[in-house]
Amino acid sequence: MLDGYIARRYRLSSKLGALLDPLTDKFFVFFVLAILIKEGHLEWWQVGALLCRDFALLLFASYLFLRGRLTQYKVRAFWCGKIVTSMQFLILSGLSLGIGIPDLVFAVFPLLGGLALFELYFFHNTCFSAR
């Protein structure tokens, strides 16, 4: 969040940065998930729950591809995505520090994945309806 704030505040944002920022976030999440799985700190259902938003993104990208609109879609951050990424970072940090995370917290992620899909689809329809 800090790097995005600095980029916007000082007008240092770029198309490359807009692409690399979420990719590096995903790399970090996948890297830490792999370590936590290997060390036995996470179960597979918890990993699946944490990645529900990412599955929603893949589903939406597949939808755009099948409709022939993938290249027309302008990638933007969305509120549900920011919430999920923040929660992922907090949970992964907590687990890395040995803090136990209740199962109920993991159960929120499928709901957020559904909300992300809804948000993406709603934005998609408003984005292309004017064309």
Side-chain angles (χ1 to χ4, degrees):
M1 292 185 327
L2 181 61
D3 62 339
Y5 170 77
I6 291 171
R8 286 186 299 278
R9 171 84 165 95
Y10 296 104
R11 299 179 196 265
L12 298 171
S13 59
S14 68
K15 287 182 180 181
L16 179 61
L19 178 66
L20 289 179
D21 184 57
L23 288 177
T24 55
D25 289 348
K26 285 293 103 203
F27 175 76
F28 172 78
V29 168
F30 289 134
F31 184 78
V32 175
L33 281 175
I35 291 171
L36 291 172
I37 290 168
K38 177 96 169 117
E39 292 179 350
H41 296 290
L42 276 176
E43 296 178 29
W44 283 103
W45 75 267
Q46 294 168 321
V47 172
L50 285 170
L51 297 177
C52 277
R53 186 268 320 256
D54 302 295
F55 295 136
L57 287 172
L58 286 173
L59 187 61
F60 183 69
S62 299
Y63 166 76
L64 290 176
F65 177 77
L66 292 173
R67 303 276 303 190
R69 296 196 170 177
L70 186 60
T71 58
Q72 299 168 354
Y73 188 76
K74 182 174 180 175
V75 178
R76 293 184 178 161
F78 55 105
W79 74 269
C80 198
K82 289 182 176 287
I83 290 170
V84 170
T85 300
S86 299
M87 287 180 63
Q88 284 175 334
F89 279 23
L90 287 172
I91 288 169
L92 295 176
S93 297
L95 289 170
S96 297
L97 296 171
I99 299 169
I101 307 296
D103 288 344
L104 184 60
V105 174
F106 291 98
V108 171
F109 281 91
L111 174 65
L112 290 172
L115 288 172
L117 189 57
F118 175 79
E119 184 179 357
L120 286 166
Y121 183 76
F122 178 75
F123 175 75
H124 164 76
N125 284 339
T126 59
C127 180
F128 291 113
S129 62
R131 291 185 180 174

